[in-house]
Amino acid sequence: MRKIVLVLFVLVALGLVFAGCTQQQEKPAATPTPTPEKTATPAPTETPSIPEGVRIVETEKYYVIVGEKGKVEGVSAPGGKKVIRVSYVVDEENTPSIEELMEKGLGFGAINPAFWRDTAFDALVKAARKETNPEIRTALFEAMYIIANDESPLLTFGQNKQLRVYWSWLEGRYYHPTLAERYDLLWEDPNAPSIEIGVKDYVNDPNTYVIGTIGWPESFDPATTYETFGWEIWHQIGDTLVTYWKEETEEVSPDLAVAWAHNEDGTEWYFVIRGGVVAYDPWNDKTYPIDATDVAFSIWRVKRIGHSVSWMLDFVDVDNSTAMTEEEFKNVLANEKLYAEFKGKAGEVKSLDELLNMFGYSGETAGVYKLKLPEPYSPILGILADPFLSVLPMEYLLGDKYEEALQASDNGKNPSAWEAYVSEGKEDATHQLMHQKPVGTGPYYIAEYEENSYIVAKKNPYYWGKSLWDEMYSGGDKAMHDTVIWIINNDAVSRVNLFKTGTVDVVALPPERLEDAKGLTLEGYESVVKTDLLQPVITYGVFNTYKEPFNNKLVREALAYATPYDTISKNVYSGLLERNYAAIPKGWPGYTEYGIKKYTFDMNKAKELIEKSGIDPTKYSIEITYNTGNSAREKIATLLQNTWSQLGFQVTVNGLEWPVYLSKGEHGQFDFYIIGWVPDYLDTDNWVGPLYYGATAFKEVTVSVE
């Protein structure tokens, strides 16, 4: 029996983070395991004997040789280290053009945000996804880090330290690197003050959690949101198949799936669905029962709509991922070898009762969801915990077409039949409905909102897990959050005042405003400012590498040397930004300082590289964009405008509202923009994939170790 091992990297220290992809503001996270500093060693220079299209990358322990099949096999590496050889055959027919990806708005999804395509790098991404040996995977990731550092399609400013501000009456805070806190699991001192917040007749009292923040969520539809704010909301109003319980990182816990098992090679997973769950529709005051068909429809729908977030379903064969009855699953258990692992227990399971007992579940069930993978992918459970895969009621989304669609799909056994009822893109009717009137199964529901002003969520009276609330709050010494309110204010000074007056319990502040929040008192309570943990969060800029002059590597390198990193860290982030040289965080497999360029602020070097590049900078304009309300990114943009213009470029700065900002980035309508990245799931592939993968399709990728 081959046990499927989910390789998750345990983080050492705990803090707070809002996770999920692109950021409107910096979010805190955990301190990774320290990595011993290595002396930077120059990468080997390619010699004329190396065939065109073959690349040799020296890592600390290996030479990684990557190239086309038929060329890479005969290439020798210098002695003294083991060799990892990656050969590939490109599938030209199925490799989309960059223009096509831009037109469809798939930047930050099917292709990296810089629209950078490097075939060898893409082959390494694919190789690491297939590889199961952690040491080999780490070496492949290190090779990618070295290439990304050299090519610089992204300009890495640094890795963020934790930044969070809240009043001491708020308790129970915890940290997870990919999920927001669940606000029903946080509580307040029952004696906390009650303060009018200026939104209708709402009051920030002990039973109301008020958040002062910036921006606006990309969408209320989980299938079309790929940023921290949207995921934060869906972690409150939705449920996924599996989740992480508070700060747990080593393994997922049951959510709408109460138990799961897989076949021997990990290409088929079976999730037993929790019974008695309903989705609450506050817009019509109705409920909809949830079963395995809703699960199949929800996951299939994400892929069908095809928003950039759907790239994570490239690991799933959604058309062959189906709903089953318990009887059908019992037949599979009796006739095939299925295995399960949970809380230290592992082994083959032969019956549904045995599986449920392993997970400690004895309640009712609502069918089984069979998840089909084209090939094994160890982080799959972490992906299934992401809020964009929240389960939605198919009946609500399809309305009077529901019964017809259910019959056409044979109750979820033929998902492709749903193509007649859900269209691609944001014009889809189910998206338009969810975008405006979201419905979910989570502890809260969206009660009302005013765009760019506020969002109000209230306790879900039909929540399947509300028995937990009775257990947590029965003593009366903790005030539960019956209401959650996000107040949107893009002015940092105004947000400071909201916090000082107790109008909000927590506030998003730029680092230069942290001193304004320290040492405050209000009715016997104190402000809490936490800045002590290094996050697995990267702040960086994106070059449009498909556009002149950013398609010239020497120009990108010159701009990297014309970046005042120390000033950005000290003056913009108050020291809460630690140097990093590509987009893999310190302490994660793949981060290395071996064989890399440690870019420093060096205008003479930058000017030399511009001259060497052969371009005339005075003939080019560069527009640097940032998301409105993020004062830190605005300051970075201004600093870059000053230094890059000294190279001869005409540089302008422009702020855009968050949804517009994302849309322009996804469609390649930019020169250079500033953004941040937090992990979607706990694997290094979640950095190198979305941030560097160039959407090359392959007929074959093979890894061998010598």
Side-chain angles (χ1 to χ4, degrees):
M1 189 268 286
R2 291 169 53 199
K3 177 181 175 182
I4 301 297
V5 179
L6 181 63
V7 182
L8 296 180
F9 306 103
V10 184
L11 304 180
V12 174
L14 302 178
L16 163 76
V17 72
F18 297 152
C21 338
T22 55
Q23 291 182 293
Q24 298 189 46
Q25 67 239 16
E26 292 73 30
K27 304 288 187 177
T31 301
T33 305
T35 301
E37 185 169 347
K38 304 293 181 184
T39 302
T41 302
T45 303
E46 294 186 0
T47 66
S49 62
I50 299 175
E52 183 180 356
V54 175
R55 178 181 258 143
I56 299 179
V57 184
E58 182 183 359
T59 70
E60 185 177 1
K61 296 181 180 179
Y62 290 89
Y63 286 106
V64 178
I65 307 177
V66 56
E68 293 179 41
K69 184 178 181 180
K71 292 184 178 180
V72 73
E73 292 79 5
V75 175
S76 298
K81 294 183 179 181
K82 294 180 181 179
V83 174
I84 301 172
R85 204 175 296 271
V86 178
S87 68
Y88 61 79
V89 178
V90 174
D91 185 348
E92 300 284 358
E93 183 178 349
N94 290 307
T95 298
S97 69
I98 291 177
E99 295 97 329
E100 177 185 351
L101 294 165
M102 284 182 169
E103 183 179 349
K104 290 184 176 180
L106 295 178
F108 247 136
I111 191 170
N112 61 74
F115 293 93
W116 173 66
R117 177 169 285 166
D118 184 298
T119 305
F121 191 100
D122 288 358
L124 290 173
V125 172
K126 291 291 189 179
R129 288 174 179 174
K130 294 177 60 155
E131 183 58 48
T132 58
N133 184 315
E135 181 177 329
I136 303 304
R137 287 191 91 218
T138 295
L140 293 172
F141 288 138
E142 287 176 351
M144 287 183 256
Y145 188 97
I146 292 167
I147 294 171
N149 165 263
D150 180 55
E151 293 283 343
S152 295
L154 307 179
L155 176 55
T156 305
F157 302 119
Q159 188 171 337
N160 296 83
K161 293 184 178 180
Q162 182 196 58
L163 189 164
R164 61 176 177 176
V165 179
Y166 59 97
W167 282 105
S168 60
W169 61 66
L170 178 65
E171 301 183 52
R173 303 206 70 176
Y174 64 91
Y175 159 76
H176 192 274
T178 62
L179 293 177
E181 296 162 298
R182 245 180 57 179
Y183 300 144
D184 61 321
L185 303 182
L186 307 185
W187 64 89
E188 294 188 27
D189 184 328
N191 299 311
S194 296
I195 298 166
E196 293 183 1
I197 68 172
V199 175
K200 295 189 173 180
D201 58 353
Y202 290 108
V203 174
N204 184 12
D205 58 24
N207 296 111
T208 305
Y209 186 43
V210 186
I211 302 162
T213 189
I214 67 171
W216 189 254
E218 183 178 9
S219 178
F220 286 128
D221 182 355
T224 58
T225 183
Y226 196 16
E227 40 86 39
T228 51
F229 200 168
W231 283 27
E232 175 189 349
I233 290 170
W234 268 97
H235 195 48
Q236 317 306 322
I237 69 172
D239 285 297
T240 47
L241 283 174
V242 298
T243 190
Y244 290 98
W245 179 248
K246 292 190 174 182
E247 67 267 28
E248 180 62 62
T249 59
E250 293 186 74
E251 67 177 320
V252 295
S253 295
D255 199 355
L256 291 190
V258 296
W260 51 88
H262 55 81
N263 67 350
E264 191 169 11
D265 68 359
T267 56
E268 293 178 356
W269 291 75
Y270 299 85
F271 296 88
V272 183
I273 305 307
R274 185 183 302 275
V277 176
V278 298
Y280 177 47
D281 168 12
W283 317 104
N284 301 291
D285 197 22
K286 294 177 61 176
T287 61
Y288 299 90
I290 296 295
D291 62 20
T293 305
D294 297 290
V295 176
F297 179 78
S298 298
I299 293 176
W300 176 90
R301 175 178 170 270
V302 172
K303 188 65 175 176
R304 172 64 170 169
I305 289 178
H307 183 266
S308 59
V309 72
S310 68
W311 76 269
M312 282 180 276
L313 290 181
D314 290 348
F315 307 113
V316 178
D317 181 355
V318 294
D319 286 334
N320 289 299
S321 296
T322 60
M324 305 173 64
T325 66
E326 285 85 352
E327 291 304 313
E328 290 168 336
F329 181 51
K330 288 177 182 178
N331 186 56
V332 173
L333 283 163
N335 293 284
E336 299 181 21
K337 289 184 176 294
L338 296 186
Y339 306 92
E341 305 86 30
F342 185 67
K343 301 295 184 184
K345 296 173 286 187
E348 184 179 355
V349 287
K350 298 297 293 182
S351 71
L352 179 56
D353 286 342
E354 182 182 354
L355 177 62
L356 294 177
N357 286 337
M358 177 183 285
F359 282 78
Y361 183 76
S362 58
E364 59 182 310
T365 60
V368 177
Y369 176 58
K370 176 185 177 181
L371 183 74
K372 177 70 175 175
L373 309 185
E375 57 188 17
Y377 187 59
S378 61
I380 189 62
L381 291 178
I383 292 175
L384 294 176
D386 284 342
F388 80 100
L389 292 178
S390 293
V391 176
L392 309 178
M394 178 179 168
E395 184 177 357
Y396 172 72
L397 292 175
L398 296 183
D400 58 9
K401 295 290 186 181
Y402 168 67
E403 293 293 345
E404 180 184 318
L406 194 63
Q407 184 176 357
S409 70
D410 190 16
N411 293 309
K413 291 180 172 56
N414 178 27
S416 60
W418 291 324
E419 290 183 5
Y421 306 92
V422 179
S423 60
E424 295 179 341
K426 293 184 178 180
E427 298 306 311
D428 170 64
T430 68
H431 164 69
Q432 292 298 322
L433 178 61
M434 285 296 294
H435 182 66
Q436 299 176 53
K437 296 181 177 181
V439 167
T441 63
Y444 296 97
Y445 65 90
I446 298 297
E448 61 176 315
Y449 61 88
E450 182 178 312
E451 189 165 346
N452 295 318
S453 182
Y454 64 84
I455 301 168
V456 178
K458 293 186 177 180
K459 186 168 66 174
N460 181 359
Y462 301 98
Y463 179 50
W464 59 267
K466 62 182 179 180
S467 60
L468 172 66
W469 299 339
D470 296 333
E471 183 179 330
M472 283 188 63
Y473 299 104
S474 59
D477 58 338
K478 301 175 182 177
M480 181 187 173
H481 292 131
D482 296 330
T483 304
V484 176
I485 302 174
W486 291 267
I487 294 180
I488 316 302
N489 190 311
N490 289 334
D491 180 70
V493 175
S494 297
R495 292 199 308 278
V496 168
N497 290 332
L498 288 174
F499 183 71
K500 285 181 176 180
T501 58
T503 303
V504 299
D505 299 297
V506 301
V507 66
L509 291 183
E512 72 270 17
R513 289 288 174 186
L514 288 185
E515 293 302 319
D516 295 341
K518 291 181 178 179
L520 301 178
T521 60
L522 183 65
E523 297 188 21
Y525 298 93
E526 299 177 347
S527 61
V528 180
V529 177
K530 303 288 273 185
T531 61
D532 54 339
L533 298 176
L534 185 65
Q535 310 174 88
V537 173
I538 303 293
T539 292
Y540 60 98
V542 181
F543 293 112
N544 188 337
T545 66
Y546 195 64
K547 185 177 184 180
E548 291 186 357
F550 312 111
N551 59 348
N552 187 321
K553 172 189 166 183
L554 292 175
V555 172
R556 299 195 300 269
E557 189 175 356
L559 294 173
Y561 278 109
T563 297
Y565 302 99
D566 289 344
T567 301
I568 290 171
S569 177
K570 293 175 183 177
N571 295 355
V572 179
Y573 286 98
S574 300
L576 301 181
L577 194 70
E578 188 168 308
R579 283 306 308 274
N580 198 318
Y581 308 97
I584 295 176
K586 293 182 177 181
W588 290 71
Y591 176 83
T592 183
E593 295 186 12
Y594 187 93
I596 66 168
K597 299 173 183 175
K598 291 190 174 181
Y599 296 104
T600 57
F601 181 50
D602 188 336
M603 291 300 294
N604 290 330
K605 179 73 171 176
K607 290 174 182 177
E608 289 175 10
L609 287 165
I610 288 294
E611 185 175 352
K612 187 177 178 182
S613 74
I615 73 158
D616 179 356
T618 64
K619 294 182 178 180
Y620 292 97
S621 62
I622 300 175
E623 182 184 60
I624 302 174
T625 53
Y626 65 93
N627 55 305
T628 302
N630 193 309
S631 59
R633 292 175 188 167
E634 182 180 7
K635 289 182 178 180
I636 293 173
T638 302
L639 287 169
L640 295 180
Q641 180 185 33
N642 177 48
T643 56
W644 290 2
S645 63
Q646 293 177 39
L647 298 176
F649 294 104
Q650 303 169 51
V651 186
T652 58
V653 171
N654 187 25
L656 299 172
E657 293 296 331
W658 183 246
V660 176
Y661 193 62
L662 290 178
S663 179
K664 284 188 174 291
E666 291 163 356
H667 287 85
Q669 298 168 350
F670 67 93
D671 295 331
F672 180 86
Y673 66 91
I674 302 164
I675 203 156
W677 183 260
V678 295
D680 303 304
Y681 54 94
L682 302 179
D683 190 272
T684 302
D685 183 48
N686 190 231
W687 281 272
V688 297
L691 297 183
Y692 293 113
Y693 178 57
T696 306
F698 296 92
K699 294 180 179 178
E700 177 185 332
V701 175
T702 304
V703 181
S704 61
V705 182
E706 303 166 10

